Amino acid sequence: TILPMFDQGVELFSFEADEIETMAKAEHDRWLEERFIDGWTYTENHKRIDTKVSPYLVPWDMLPESTKESDRTFVRKMPYLLSMAGYMIIRDEMYF
């Protein structure tokens, strides 16, 4: 759950390894859908913004490990990024 930060001294939330993997895959899927809606297409070559082509427009399982790690890194940074905006993450045991 995301809540307004009520204590600046509170320790930042950390995701579990399985949560990071699940959320990184979900982020890639979200990004993939966003790109397809915007008219991007797959290429085996390098990403080109001007022609809207990318080699990363593939399912998670087909991504290079380095690209997967970029998505994992983004997920790991979410607690910090939210804290900079005045929010915090708490584990809501009701959903687990």
Side-chain angles (χ1 to χ4, degrees):
T1 302
I2 299 172
L3 298 172
M5 187 171 286
F6 52 82
D7 181 358
Q8 295 296 329
V10 70
E11 185 176 331
L12 289 180
F13 181 89
S14 290
F15 291 109
E16 302 288 333
D18 62 325
E19 294 169 326
I20 291 168
E21 196 67 14
T22 298
M23 291 178 67
K25 181 184 180 305
E27 170 56 18
H28 176 69
D29 291 345
R30 182 208 61 78
W31 175 88
L32 196 63
E33 183 176 344
E34 179 184 84
R35 292 301 181 270
F36 283 136
I37 288 170
D38 194 35
W40 285 68
T41 56
Y42 172 79
T43 183
E44 290 183 6
N45 301 317
H46 297 288
K47 176 181 173 181
R48 292 200 44 192
I49 295 172
D50 59 332
T51 57
K52 293 186 176 183
V53 296
S54 174
Y56 307 117
L57 295 172
V58 295
W60 176 259
D61 294 339
M62 295 176 65
L63 284 174
E65 190 59 31
S66 61
T67 303
K68 289 180 181 180
E69 190 56 34
S70 293
D71 287 325
R72 292 179 191 119
T73 298
F74 176 73
V75 171
R76 287 185 198 103
K77 289 182 178 180
M78 282 181 176
Y80 172 75
L81 296 171
L82 284 167
S83 75
M84 297 305 291
Y87 292 91
M88 61 186 233
I89 299 173
I90 62 163
R91 188 170 305 283
D92 190 337
E93 298 299 329
M94 181 171 73
Y95 295 107
F96 297 96

